[in-house]
Coordinates of all heavy atoms in Angstrom, one line a residue:
M235 N -112.6 75.8 -26.7 CA -112.9 74.3 -26.7 C -112.5 73.8 -28.0 O -112.8 74.3 -29.1 CB -114.4 74.0 -26.4 CG -114.8 72.7 -26.9 SD -115.0 71.3 -25.7 CE -116.0 71.9 -24.5
A236 N -111.7 72.7 -28.0 CA -111.2 72.0 -29.2 C -111.9 70.7 -29.3 O -112.2 70.1 -28.3 CB -109.7 71.9 -29.1
S237 N -112.1 70.2 -30.5 CA -112.6 68.9 -30.7 C -111.8 68.3 -31.9 O -111.8 68.9 -33.0 CB -114.1 68.9 -31.0 OG -114.6 67.6 -31.2
K238 N -111.2 67.1 -31.7 CA -110.4 66.5 -32.8 C -110.8 65.1 -33.0 O -111.2 64.3 -32.0 CB -108.9 66.5 -32.3 CG -108.4 67.9 -32.0 CD -108.2 68.7 -33.3 CE -107.6 70.1 -32.9 NZ -107.3 70.9 -34.1
H239 N -110.7 64.6 -34.2 CA -110.9 63.2 -34.6 C -109.4 62.7 -34.8 O -108.7 63.3 -35.6 CB -111.7 63.1 -35.9 CG -111.8 61.7 -36.4 ND1 -111.3 61.3 -37.5 CD2 -112.4 60.6 -35.8 CE1 -111.6 60.0 -37.7 NE2 -112.3 59.6 -36.7
I240 N -109.1 61.7 -34.1 CA -107.7 61.2 -34.2 C -107.7 59.7 -34.6 O -108.5 58.9 -34.0 CB -107.0 61.3 -32.8 CG1 -107.1 62.7 -32.3 CG2 -105.6 60.8 -32.8 CD1 -106.8 62.9 -30.8
V241 N -106.9 59.3 -35.5 CA -106.7 57.9 -35.9 C -105.2 57.6 -35.8 O -104.4 58.3 -36.3 CB -107.1 57.7 -37.4 CG1 -106.9 56.2 -37.8 CG2 -108.6 58.1 -37.6
V242 N -105.0 56.6 -35.0 CA -103.6 56.2 -34.6 C -103.3 54.9 -35.4 O -104.1 53.9 -35.2 CB -103.4 56.0 -33.1 CG1 -102.0 55.7 -32.8 CG2 -103.9 57.2 -32.4
H243 N -102.2 54.8 -36.1 CA -101.8 53.7 -36.9 C -100.6 53.0 -36.3 O -99.8 53.7 -35.6 CB -101.4 54.1 -38.3 CG -102.5 54.8 -39.0 ND1 -103.6 54.2 -39.6 CD2 -102.8 56.2 -39.1 CE1 -104.4 55.1 -40.1 NE2 -104.0 56.3 -39.8
G244 N -100.4 51.7 -36.6 CA -99.3 51.0 -36.1 C -99.7 49.8 -35.3 O -100.8 49.3 -35.5
Q245 N -98.9 49.3 -34.5 CA -99.2 48.2 -33.6 C -99.9 48.8 -32.3 O -99.2 49.1 -31.3 CB -98.0 47.3 -33.2 CG -98.4 46.1 -32.3 CD -97.2 45.3 -32.0 OE1 -96.1 45.4 -32.5 NE2 -97.4 44.4 -31.0
V246 N -101.2 49.0 -32.4 CA -101.9 49.8 -31.4 C -103.1 49.0 -30.9 O -103.8 49.6 -30.0 CB -102.3 51.2 -31.9 CG1 -101.0 52.0 -32.1 CG2 -103.1 51.1 -33.2
Q247 N -103.3 47.8 -31.4 CA -104.4 47.0 -30.8 C -103.8 45.8 -30.0 O -102.7 45.3 -30.4 CB -105.4 46.5 -31.9 CG -106.2 47.6 -32.5 CD -107.2 47.1 -33.4 OE1 -107.6 45.9 -33.5 NE2 -107.8 48.0 -34.2
G248 N -104.4 45.5 -28.9 CA -103.8 44.4 -28.1 C -102.7 44.8 -27.2 O -102.0 44.0 -26.7
V249 N -102.5 46.1 -27.0 CA -101.5 46.6 -26.2 C -102.0 47.6 -25.1 O -101.3 48.5 -24.7 CB -100.3 47.3 -27.0 CG1 -99.7 46.3 -27.9 CG2 -100.9 48.5 -27.9
F250 N -103.3 47.5 -24.8 CA -103.9 48.3 -23.8 C -104.0 49.8 -24.2 O -104.0 50.7 -23.4 CB -103.2 48.2 -22.4 CG -103.2 46.8 -21.9 CD1 -102.0 46.1 -21.9 CD2 -104.3 46.2 -21.4 CE1 -102.0 44.8 -21.4 CE2 -104.3 44.9 -20.9 CZ -103.2 44.2 -20.9
F251 N -104.1 50.0 -25.5 CA -104.1 51.4 -26.0 C -105.4 52.1 -25.6 O -105.4 53.2 -25.1 CB -104.0 51.4 -27.6 CG -103.6 52.7 -28.1 CD1 -102.3 53.0 -28.4 CD2 -104.5 53.8 -28.2 CE1 -101.9 54.2 -28.9 CE2 -104.2 55.0 -28.7 CZ -102.9 55.2 -29.1
R252 N -106.5 51.4 -25.7 CA -107.8 52.0 -25.4 C -107.9 52.3 -23.9 O -108.3 53.4 -23.5 CB -109.0 51.2 -25.8 CG -109.1 51.1 -27.3 CD -110.3 50.2 -27.7 NE -110.1 48.9 -27.3 CZ -111.0 48.0 -26.9 NH1 -112.3 48.4 -27.0 NH2 -110.7 46.8 -26.5
Q253 N -107.5 51.4 -23.0 CA -107.5 51.7 -21.6 C -106.5 52.8 -21.2 O -106.8 53.7 -20.4 CB -107.2 50.4 -20.8 CG -107.3 50.6 -19.3 CD -108.7 51.0 -18.8 OE1 -109.6 50.3 -19.2 NE2 -108.8 52.1 -18.1
S254 N -105.3 52.8 -21.8 CA -104.4 53.8 -21.5 C -104.9 55.2 -22.0 O -104.7 56.2 -21.4 CB -103.0 53.5 -22.2 OG -102.5 52.3 -21.7
A255 N -105.6 55.2 -23.2 CA -106.2 56.5 -23.7 C -107.2 57.0 -22.7 O -107.3 58.2 -22.4 CB -106.8 56.2 -25.0
Q256 N -108.0 56.1 -22.2 CA -109.1 56.5 -21.2 C -108.5 57.0 -19.9 O -108.9 58.0 -19.4 CB -110.0 55.3 -20.9 CG -111.2 55.6 -20.2 CD -112.2 54.4 -20.0 OE1 -111.8 53.3 -20.0 NE2 -113.5 54.8 -19.9
D257 N -107.4 56.4 -19.5 CA -106.7 56.8 -18.3 C -106.1 58.2 -18.5 O -106.2 59.1 -17.6 CB -105.7 55.8 -17.8 CG -106.2 54.5 -17.3 OD1 -107.5 54.4 -17.1 OD2 -105.5 53.5 -17.3
T258 N -105.4 58.4 -19.6 CA -104.8 59.6 -20.0 C -105.8 60.7 -20.1 O -105.6 61.9 -19.6 CB -103.9 59.5 -21.2 OG1 -103.0 58.5 -21.0 CG2 -103.2 60.8 -21.6
A259 N -106.9 60.4 -20.8 CA -108.0 61.4 -20.9 C -108.5 61.9 -19.6 O -108.8 63.1 -19.4 CB -109.1 60.9 -21.8
G260 N -108.7 60.9 -18.7 CA -109.1 61.3 -17.3 C -108.1 62.2 -16.6 O -108.5 63.2 -16.0
D261 N -106.8 61.9 -16.8 CA -105.8 62.8 -16.2 C -105.8 64.2 -16.7 O -105.6 65.1 -16.0 CB -104.4 62.1 -16.3 CG -104.2 60.9 -15.6 OD1 -105.0 60.6 -14.6 OD2 -103.3 60.1 -15.9
L262 N -106.1 64.3 -18.1 CA -106.1 65.6 -18.7 C -107.4 66.3 -18.7 O -107.5 67.5 -19.0 CB -105.7 65.4 -20.2 CG -104.3 64.8 -20.5 CD1 -104.1 64.5 -21.9 CD2 -103.2 65.9 -20.0
G263 N -108.4 65.6 -18.3 CA -109.7 66.3 -18.2 C -110.4 66.5 -19.5 O -111.2 67.4 -19.7
V264 N -110.2 65.6 -20.5 CA -110.8 65.7 -21.8 C -111.9 64.7 -21.9 O -111.9 63.6 -21.2 CB -109.8 65.5 -23.0 CG1 -108.8 66.7 -23.0 CG2 -109.2 64.2 -23.0
A265 N -112.9 64.9 -22.8 CA -114.0 64.0 -23.0 C -113.9 63.4 -24.4 O -113.1 63.9 -25.2 CB -115.3 64.7 -22.9
G266 N -114.6 62.3 -24.6 CA -114.7 61.7 -26.0 C -114.8 60.2 -25.9 O -115.4 59.7 -25.0
W267 N -114.2 59.6 -26.9 CA -114.3 58.1 -26.9 C -113.1 57.6 -27.7 O -112.5 58.3 -28.4 CB -115.6 57.6 -27.5 CG -116.0 58.2 -28.8 CD1 -117.0 59.2 -29.0 CD2 -115.6 57.8 -30.1 NE1 -117.1 59.5 -30.3 CE2 -116.3 58.6 -31.0 CE3 -114.7 56.9 -30.6 CZ2 -116.1 58.5 -32.4 CZ3 -114.5 56.8 -32.0 CH2 -115.2 57.6 -32.8
V268 N -112.9 56.3 -27.5 CA -111.8 55.6 -28.2 C -112.3 54.2 -28.6 O -113.1 53.6 -27.9 CB -110.5 55.5 -27.4 CG1 -110.8 54.7 -26.1 CG2 -109.4 54.8 -28.2
R269 N -112.0 53.7 -29.8 CA -112.4 52.4 -30.3 C -111.4 51.8 -31.3 O -110.6 52.6 -31.9 CB -113.8 52.4 -30.9 CG -113.9 53.2 -32.2 CD -115.2 53.1 -32.7 NE -115.4 54.0 -33.9 CZ -116.5 54.5 -34.3 NH1 -117.6 54.2 -33.7 NH2 -116.6 55.3 -35.4
N270 N -111.3 50.5 -31.4 CA -110.5 49.8 -32.4 C -111.3 49.9 -33.7 O -112.5 49.8 -33.7 CB -110.3 48.4 -32.0 CG -109.3 48.2 -30.8 OD1 -108.6 49.1 -30.5 ND2 -109.4 47.0 -30.2
R271 N -110.5 49.9 -34.8 CA -111.1 49.9 -36.1 C -110.7 48.6 -36.8 O -109.7 48.0 -36.4 CB -110.6 51.1 -36.9 CG -111.1 52.4 -36.4 CD -110.7 53.6 -37.1 NE -110.1 53.5 -38.4 CZ -110.1 54.5 -39.3 NH1 -110.7 55.6 -39.0 NH2 -109.5 54.4 -40.5
D272 N -111.5 48.2 -37.7 CA -111.2 46.9 -38.4 C -109.9 46.8 -39.1 O -109.3 45.7 -39.3 CB -112.3 46.6 -39.4 CG -113.6 46.3 -38.8 OD1 -113.7 45.9 -37.6 OD2 -114.7 46.4 -39.5
D273 N -109.3 48.0 -39.5 CA -108.0 48.0 -40.2 C -106.8 47.9 -39.3 O -105.7 48.0 -39.7 CB -107.9 49.2 -41.1 CG -107.9 50.5 -40.4 OD1 -107.9 50.5 -39.1 OD2 -107.8 51.6 -41.0
G274 N -107.0 47.8 -38.0 CA -106.0 47.6 -37.0 C -105.6 48.9 -36.3 O -104.7 49.0 -35.4
S275 N -106.2 50.0 -36.8 CA -105.9 51.3 -36.2 C -106.8 51.6 -35.0 O -107.7 50.8 -34.7 CB -106.0 52.5 -37.2 OG -107.4 52.5 -37.6
V276 N -106.6 52.6 -34.2 CA -107.4 53.1 -33.1 C -107.9 54.5 -33.5 O -107.2 55.3 -33.9 CB -106.6 53.0 -31.8 CG1 -107.5 53.7 -30.7 CG2 -106.3 51.6 -31.4
E277 N -109.2 54.7 -33.2 CA -109.9 56.0 -33.5 C -110.3 56.6 -32.2 O -110.8 55.9 -31.3 CB -111.0 55.7 -34.4 CG -111.9 56.8 -34.8 CD -113.1 56.4 -35.7 OE1 -113.5 55.2 -35.6 OE2 -113.5 57.3 -36.5
M278 N -110.2 57.9 -32.1 CA -110.6 58.7 -31.0 C -111.3 60.0 -31.4 O -110.9 60.6 -32.4 CB -109.4 59.1 -30.1 CG -108.7 57.9 -29.4 SD -107.5 58.5 -28.3 CE -106.1 58.8 -29.4
I279 N -112.3 60.4 -30.6 CA -112.8 61.8 -30.6 C -112.3 62.3 -29.2 O -112.6 61.7 -28.2 CB -114.3 61.8 -30.8 CG1 -114.7 61.4 -32.1 CG2 -114.8 63.2 -30.5 CD1 -114.4 62.3 -33.3
V280 N -111.7 63.5 -29.3 CA -111.2 64.1 -28.0 C -111.7 65.6 -28.0 O -111.5 66.3 -29.0 CB -109.7 64.1 -27.9 CG1 -109.2 64.8 -26.7 CG2 -109.2 62.7 -28.0
E281 N -112.4 66.0 -26.9 CA -112.9 67.3 -26.7 C -112.5 67.9 -25.4 O -112.4 67.2 -24.4 CB -114.5 67.3 -26.7 CG -115.1 66.9 -28.0 CD -116.6 67.0 -28.0 OE1 -117.2 67.5 -27.0 OE2 -117.2 66.7 -29.0
G282 N -112.1 69.2 -25.4 CA -111.8 69.8 -24.2 C -111.0 71.1 -24.4 O -111.0 71.6 -25.5
E283 N -110.4 71.6 -23.4 CA -109.6 72.8 -23.5 C -108.4 72.6 -24.5 O -107.9 71.4 -24.6 CB -109.0 73.2 -22.1 CG -110.1 73.5 -21.1 CD -110.8 74.8 -21.5 OE1 -110.3 75.7 -22.1 OE2 -112.0 74.8 -21.2
D284 N -108.1 73.6 -25.2 CA -107.1 73.5 -26.3 C -105.8 72.8 -25.9 O -105.4 71.8 -26.5 CB -106.8 74.8 -26.9 CG -107.9 75.5 -27.7 OD1 -108.9 74.8 -28.0 OD2 -107.8 76.7 -28.0
N285 N -105.3 73.2 -24.8 CA -104.0 72.7 -24.3 C -104.1 71.2 -23.9 O -103.3 70.4 -24.2 CB -103.5 73.5 -23.1 CG -102.2 73.0 -22.6 OD1 -101.2 72.9 -23.4 ND2 -102.0 72.8 -21.3
A286 N -105.2 70.8 -23.3 CA -105.4 69.4 -22.9 C -105.6 68.5 -24.1 O -105.1 67.4 -24.2 CB -106.6 69.3 -22.0
V287 N -106.3 69.0 -25.1 CA -106.5 68.2 -26.4 C -105.1 68.1 -27.1 O -104.8 67.0 -27.5 CB -107.5 68.9 -27.3 CG1 -107.6 68.2 -28.6 CG2 -108.9 68.8 -26.6
E288 N -104.3 69.1 -27.1 CA -103.0 69.0 -27.7 C -102.1 68.0 -27.0 O -101.4 67.3 -27.6 CB -102.4 70.4 -27.8 CG -103.0 71.3 -28.8 CD -103.0 70.8 -30.2 OE1 -102.0 70.2 -30.6 OE2 -104.0 70.9 -30.9
R289 N -102.2 68.0 -25.7 CA -101.5 67.0 -24.9 C -101.9 65.6 -25.2 O -101.1 64.7 -25.2 CB -101.5 67.4 -23.4 CG -100.8 68.7 -23.1 CD -100.9 69.1 -21.6 NE -100.3 68.1 -20.7 CZ -100.6 68.0 -19.5 NH1 -101.4 68.9 -18.9 NH2 -100.0 67.1 -18.7
M290 N -103.2 65.4 -25.4 CA -103.8 64.1 -25.7 C -103.3 63.7 -27.1 O -102.9 62.5 -27.3 CB -105.3 64.1 -25.7 CG -105.9 62.8 -25.8 SD -105.7 61.8 -24.3 CE -106.5 60.2 -24.9
I291 N -103.2 64.6 -28.0 CA -102.6 64.3 -29.4 C -101.2 63.9 -29.2 O -100.7 62.9 -29.8 CB -102.8 65.5 -30.3 CG1 -104.3 65.7 -30.6 CG2 -102.0 65.3 -31.6 CD1 -104.6 67.0 -31.3
A292 N -100.4 64.6 -28.4 CA -99.0 64.3 -28.2 C -98.9 62.9 -27.6 O -98.0 62.1 -28.0 CB -98.3 65.3 -27.3
W293 N -99.8 62.5 -26.7 CA -99.7 61.2 -26.1 C -100.0 60.1 -27.1 O -99.4 59.1 -27.2 CB -100.8 61.1 -24.9 CG -100.8 59.7 -24.4 CD1 -100.0 59.1 -23.4 CD2 -101.7 58.7 -24.9 NE1 -100.4 57.8 -23.3 CE2 -101.4 57.5 -24.1 CE3 -102.7 58.6 -25.8 CZ2 -102.1 56.3 -24.3 CZ3 -103.4 57.4 -26.0 CH2 -103.1 56.3 -25.3
A294 N -101.0 60.4 -28.0 CA -101.3 59.5 -29.1 C -100.2 59.1 -30.0 O -100.1 58.0 -30.5 CB -102.5 60.0 -29.9
H295 N -99.2 60.0 -30.1 CA -98.0 59.7 -31.0 C -97.1 58.7 -30.3 O -96.3 58.1 -31.0 CB -97.2 61.0 -31.2 CG -97.8 61.9 -32.3 ND1 -98.9 62.8 -32.1 CD2 -97.6 61.9 -33.6 CE1 -99.2 63.3 -33.2 NE2 -98.4 62.9 -34.2
E296 N -97.3 58.5 -29.0 CA -96.5 57.5 -28.3 C -97.3 56.3 -27.8 O -96.9 55.2 -28.0 CB -95.8 58.2 -27.1 CG -94.9 59.3 -27.4 CD -93.7 58.9 -28.1 OE1 -93.1 57.8 -27.8 OE2 -93.2 59.7 -29.0
G297 N -98.4 56.6 -27.2 CA -99.3 55.5 -26.7 C -98.7 54.9 -25.5 O -97.7 55.4 -25.0
P298 N -99.2 53.7 -25.1 CA -98.7 53.0 -24.0 C -97.3 52.4 -24.4 O -97.0 52.3 -25.6 CB -99.7 51.9 -23.7 CG -100.5 51.8 -24.9 CD -100.4 53.1 -25.6
S299 N -96.6 51.9 -23.4 CA -95.2 51.5 -23.7 C -95.1 50.3 -24.7 O -94.2 50.2 -25.4 CB -94.5 51.1 -22.4 OG -95.2 50.0 -21.8
Q300 N -96.2 49.5 -24.8 CA -96.2 48.3 -25.7 C -96.5 48.7 -27.1 O -96.3 47.9 -28.0 CB -97.2 47.3 -25.2 CG -96.9 46.8 -23.8 CD -97.7 47.6 -22.7 OE1 -98.1 48.7 -23.0 NE2 -97.8 47.0 -21.6
A301 N -97.1 49.9 -27.3 CA -97.5 50.3 -28.6 C -96.3 50.7 -29.5 O -95.3 51.1 -29.1 CB -98.5 51.5 -28.5
Q302 N -96.6 50.5 -30.8 CA -95.6 51.0 -31.8 C -96.3 51.8 -32.8 O -96.9 51.3 -33.8 CB -94.9 49.8 -32.5 CG -94.1 48.9 -31.6 CD -93.4 47.8 -32.3 OE1 -93.7 47.5 -33.4 NE2 -92.6 47.0 -31.5
V303 N -96.4 53.1 -32.5 CA -97.2 54.0 -33.3 C -96.4 54.4 -34.5 O -95.2 54.8 -34.4 CB -97.6 55.3 -32.5 CG1 -98.3 56.3 -33.4 CG2 -98.4 54.9 -31.3
T304 N -97.0 54.3 -35.7 CA -96.3 54.6 -37.0 C -96.9 55.9 -37.6 O -96.3 56.4 -38.5 CB -96.4 53.5 -38.0 OG1 -97.8 53.2 -38.3 CG2 -95.7 52.2 -37.5
G305 N -98.0 56.3 -37.1 CA -98.6 57.5 -37.7 C -99.9 57.9 -36.9 O -100.5 57.1 -36.3
V306 N -100.2 59.2 -37.0 CA -101.4 59.8 -36.3 C -102.0 60.8 -37.3 O -101.3 61.7 -37.7 CB -101.0 60.4 -35.0 CG1 -102.3 61.0 -34.3 CG2 -100.4 59.4 -34.0
D307 N -103.2 60.6 -37.6 CA -104.0 61.5 -38.4 C -104.9 62.3 -37.5 O -105.7 61.7 -36.7 CB -104.9 60.8 -39.5 CG -104.1 59.9 -40.4 OD1 -102.9 60.3 -40.7 OD2 -104.6 58.9 -40.8
V308 N -104.9 63.6 -37.6 CA -105.7 64.5 -36.7 C -106.5 65.4 -37.6 O -105.9 66.1 -38.5 CB -104.9 65.3 -35.8 CG1 -105.7 66.2 -34.9 CG2 -104.0 64.4 -34.9
T309 N -107.8 65.5 -37.4 CA -108.7 66.4 -38.1 C -109.6 67.1 -37.1 O -110.0 66.6 -36.1 CB -109.5 65.7 -39.2 OG1 -110.3 64.7 -38.6 CG2 -108.7 65.2 -40.3
D310 N -109.9 68.4 -37.4 CA -110.9 69.1 -36.6 C -112.2 68.5 -36.8 O -112.6 68.0 -37.9 CB -110.9 70.6 -37.0 CG -109.6 71.3 -36.7 OD1 -109.0 71.0 -35.7 OD2 -109.3 72.3 -37.4
T311 N -113.0 68.6 -35.7 CA -114.4 68.1 -35.8 C -115.3 69.1 -34.9 O -114.7 69.8 -34.1 CB -114.5 66.7 -35.3 OG1 -115.9 66.2 -35.5 CG2 -114.2 66.5 -33.9
D312 N -116.5 69.1 -35.2 CA -117.4 69.9 -34.4 C -117.6 69.3 -33.0 O -117.9 68.1 -32.9 CB -118.8 70.1 -35.1 CG -118.7 70.8 -36.4 OD1 -117.9 71.7 -36.5 OD2 -119.5 70.5 -37.3
P313 N -117.5 70.2 -32.0 CA -117.8 69.7 -30.6 C -119.2 69.1 -30.5 O -120.1 69.6 -31.1 CB -117.6 70.9 -29.7 CG -116.8 71.9 -30.6 CD -117.2 71.6 -32.0
Q314 N -119.2 68.0 -29.8 CA -120.5 67.2 -29.5 C -121.0 67.4 -28.1 O -122.0 66.9 -27.8 CB -120.3 65.8 -29.8 CG -119.8 65.5 -31.2 CD -119.5 64.0 -31.5 OE1 -119.9 63.1 -30.7 NE2 -118.7 63.8 -32.5
G315 N -120.3 68.1 -27.3 CA -120.7 68.3 -25.9 C -120.5 67.1 -25.1 O -121.3 66.9 -24.1
L316 N -119.5 66.3 -25.4 CA -119.3 65.0 -24.6 C -118.8 65.4 -23.2 O -118.1 66.4 -23.0 CB -118.3 64.2 -25.3 CG -118.7 63.8 -26.8 CD1 -117.5 63.1 -27.5 CD2 -119.9 62.8 -26.7
R317 N -119.2 64.5 -22.2 CA -118.9 64.8 -20.8 C -118.0 63.8 -20.2 O -117.5 64.0 -19.1 CB -120.1 65.0 -20.0 CG -121.0 66.1 -20.6 CD -122.1 66.5 -19.6 NE -123.0 67.5 -20.1 CZ -122.8 68.8 -20.1 NH1 -121.6 69.2 -19.8 NH2 -123.7 69.6 -20.6
S318 N -117.8 62.7 -20.8 CA -116.9 61.6 -20.3 C -116.0 61.1 -21.4 O -116.2 61.4 -22.6 CB -117.7 60.5 -19.7 OG -118.5 59.9 -20.7
F319 N -115.1 60.2 -21.1 CA -114.3 59.6 -22.1 C -114.5 58.1 -22.0 O -114.2 57.5 -20.9 CB -112.8 59.9 -21.9 CG -112.0 59.6 -23.1 CD1 -111.7 60.5 -24.1 CD2 -111.4 58.3 -23.3 CE1 -111.0 60.2 -25.2 CE2 -110.7 58.0 -24.4 CZ -110.4 58.9 -25.4
D320 N -115.0 57.5 -23.0 CA -115.4 56.0 -22.9 C -114.8 55.2 -24.0 O -114.3 55.7 -25.0 CB -116.9 55.9 -23.1 CG -117.7 56.8 -22.1 OD1 -117.5 56.6 -20.9 OD2 -118.5 57.6 -22.5
Q321 N -114.7 53.9 -23.8 CA -114.3 53.0 -24.8 C -115.6 52.5 -25.6 O -116.5 52.1 -25.0 CB -113.6 51.8 -24.2 CG -112.3 52.1 -23.5 CD -111.6 50.9 -23.0 OE1 -111.5 49.9 -23.7 NE2 -111.1 50.9 -21.8
A322 N -115.5 52.7 -26.9 CA -116.7 52.3 -27.7 C -116.5 50.9 -28.3 O -115.4 50.4 -28.4 CB -116.9 53.3 -28.8

């Protein structure tokens, strides 16, 4: 089980990033949450099987078609036992 804290930078608010992240997480079977940050970035916690979490990170580098991702910060975090993926 992997657990990652992800911060996505660029034009990522107002482009359905959070909804697309929630849809992608559902497709991949990962749990966690996503929210907008005051600095214009988007923050996520993603937990699940290693391969699925890595695929979610790869998705975060692109985001939905309207997004313009300029950077992604990923750090390990302790699993919280999350069971769903929500917008915070």
Side-chain angles (χ1 to χ4, degrees):
M235 160 98 55
S237 183
K238 303 289 184 178
H239 177 246
I240 304 166
V241 179
V242 185
H243 304 277
Q245 184 179 344
V246 293
Q247 291 187 15
V249 294
F250 302 105
F251 199 99
R252 290 179 301 149
Q253 183 61 53
S254 296
Q256 190 173 28
D257 293 345
T258 301
D261 292 344
L262 294 174
V264 297
W267 51 261
V268 61
R269 67 179 171 200
N270 288 340
R271 293 178 14 155
D272 291 341
D273 66 1
S275 64
V276 171
E277 176 181 29
M278 294 186 276
I279 293 289
V280 178
E281 294 185 1
E283 296 297 325
D284 292 347
N285 185 49
V287 170
E288 289 303 318
R289 291 176 62 198
M290 189 72 185
I291 293 168
W293 175 86
H295 281 84
E296 299 294 324
S299 61
Q300 303 91 341
Q302 295 178 356
V303 177
T304 59
V306 178
D307 301 325
V308 180
T309 54
D310 292 330
T311 186
D312 292 328
Q314 301 172 20
L316 301 171
R317 301 197 185 281
S318 62
F319 194 93
D320 302 307
Q321 294 185 44

